[in-house]
Amino acid sequence: MGTAANFSVLAGSTVTNTGPSFLAQSLGVSPGNTAEGFPPGIVAGEIHLADAVALQAKNDLTTAYNDAAGRTPFTSLPAELGGSTLTPGVYRIGAAQLTGTLTLNSQANPAAVFIFQIDSTLITAANSSVVFINGASPCNVYWQVGSSATIGTGTRFVGNILAQTSITMNTGATLQGRALAQTGAVTLDTNTINAPVCLQPTGTPTTTPTATPTTTPTATPTATPTTTPTATPTTTPTATPTTTPTATPTTTPTTTPTATPTTTPTATPTATPTTTPTATPTPTATATGPPTGQPTKAPTALPTSTRTELPVTGGSGGSMLVPVLTGLGSLAVVTGTALLVYYRRRTS
């Protein structure tokens, strides 16, 4: 229906009204530009005469008319519709007449559609009616009329009347729907045209909320925790332990043993051994605490006992004593060195 659904009355040439008719929606005329009888007629919507809004509504009416006329498959009906009960579908009639009551049964489907394809005219007798059972909606009832429609006095009619030429509503007739004429006039006389109630199918609202919440939570938490912890711990611990232990033990033991044994023979010889011990004691200051105490004991005891016996067994004369002392000093150095090597092997 497009924008034509906003109009209670739409005409091609003119609209005329007698009495206090009431239109729940808008009124439009195009290409004509007259609408007489308002007031006393009341239009709850807007009035559009030969403007762009009316023209667009007329174009949408033409589209809806052609769509209804072309629907297939259809069921052919006799001219008289009064006393019939019809289910949803497309019905074709040569010239339609309604006397009495036509019942439309939607079979509990609010979206059920009824289309009446009428080749020429639609005429209802006075006080005739169209009624619904089982929840049908006036919004989904279409009367496509090949020429003109006449709604009799006091008739209660429902649906959208899409007439090729003109529509006349006699005194006191009511319509729950729309009176839309393409080329001719719409004539009213103390009529009420209410907007059709469009019932929504029960299943419609269910689909929308279901799909929305599913995507949002899944993506967010997955990406965040993965990257952060991986990079941090890998680099830090590798560099620290490697350097520390390697350098410490290498330097300390190397210097210590070389200087220690040299100190012992210094006290014994008076004149001769001056040259040998003098150069050696210089590194004594470098030696660390732990190794100094251990090697000193061993070399000290050996020269002391030997030196005591020299005056008893040796000959007279100072010249003979020098070689002996020199030999003993050398022996003490060798013995001290051997003891130091032995001690280091035991402690390693």
Side-chain angles (χ1 to χ4, degrees):
M1 295 286 290
T3 61
N6 300 325
F7 288 80
S8 290
V9 170
L10 197 57
S13 58
T14 186
V15 173
T16 60
N17 172 64
T18 302
S21 295
F22 173 79
L23 309 184
Q25 295 181 278
S26 295
L27 180 152
V29 181
S30 178
N33 58 5
T34 59
E36 298 176 0
F38 299 93
I42 297 172
V43 179
E46 300 173 349
I47 297 178
H48 294 278
L49 303 176
D51 60 8
V53 176
L55 177 61
Q56 182 60 54
K58 284 293 301 300
N59 291 337
D60 291 340
L61 170 59
T62 302
T63 301
Y65 179 93
N66 293 334
D67 180 85
R71 291 293 182 103
T72 56
F74 57 82
T75 301
S76 295
L77 293 178
E80 181 57 62
L81 299 176
S84 302
T85 298
L86 300 177
T87 56
V90 180
Y91 299 95
R92 177 162 291 183
I93 311 159
Q97 171 72 39
L98 174 59
T99 304
T101 300
L102 169 65
T103 302
L104 303 180
N105 180 3
S106 72
Q107 299 178 322
N109 179 10
V113 176
F114 297 83
I115 297 177
F116 296 92
Q117 299 170 340
I118 303 170
D119 293 336
S120 58
T121 59
L122 166 65
I123 300 173
T124 76
N127 300 315
S128 296
S129 62
V130 177
V131 299
F132 291 118
I133 60 173
N134 296 324
S137 169
C139 221
N140 298 327
V141 178
Y142 298 91
W143 303 87
Q144 176 260 313
V145 182
S147 59
S148 298
T150 302
I151 309 302
T153 301
T155 295
R156 291 174 294 152
F157 205 74
V158 295
N160 302 285
I161 304 173
L162 315 178
Q164 176 65 42
T165 308
S166 62
I167 300 171
T168 299
M169 294 188 68
N170 292 331
T171 307
T174 63
L175 171 64
Q176 187 175 9
R178 301 174 180 97
L180 311 175
Q182 290 196 77
T183 61
V186 174
T187 303
L188 306 175
D189 183 1
T190 315
N191 306 121
T192 298
I193 302 180
N194 289 317
V197 178
C198 299
L199 302 178
Q200 297 298 325
T202 314
T204 306
T206 311
T207 328
T208 310
T210 310
T212 309
T214 310
T215 348
T216 310
T218 312
T220 310
T222 311
T224 310
T226 311
T227 345
T228 310
T230 312
T232 310
T234 312
T235 352
T236 310
T238 313
T240 309
T242 313
T243 345
T244 310
T246 313
T248 309
T250 313
T251 347
T252 309
T254 312
T255 350
T256 307
T258 313
T260 308
T262 318
T263 327
T264 310
T266 310
T268 312
T270 311
T272 311
T274 309
T275 326
T276 309
T278 307
T280 313
T282 311
T284 309
T286 315
T288 10
T292 310
Q294 297 289 347
T296 310
K297 292 180 185 178
T300 308
L302 288 171
T304 307
S305 47
T306 312
R307 231 182 280 126
T308 309
E309 295 172 4
L310 280 176
V312 179
T313 52
S316 56
S319 59
M320 294 296 292
L321 185 61
V322 172
V324 174
L325 291 176
T326 305
L328 289 175
S330 301
L331 178 61
V333 171
V334 172
T335 306
T337 305
L339 288 173
L340 181 60
V341 170
Y342 175 75
Y343 171 75
R344 289 192 61 191
R345 287 180 180 176
R346 289 291 301 270
T347 55
S348 297

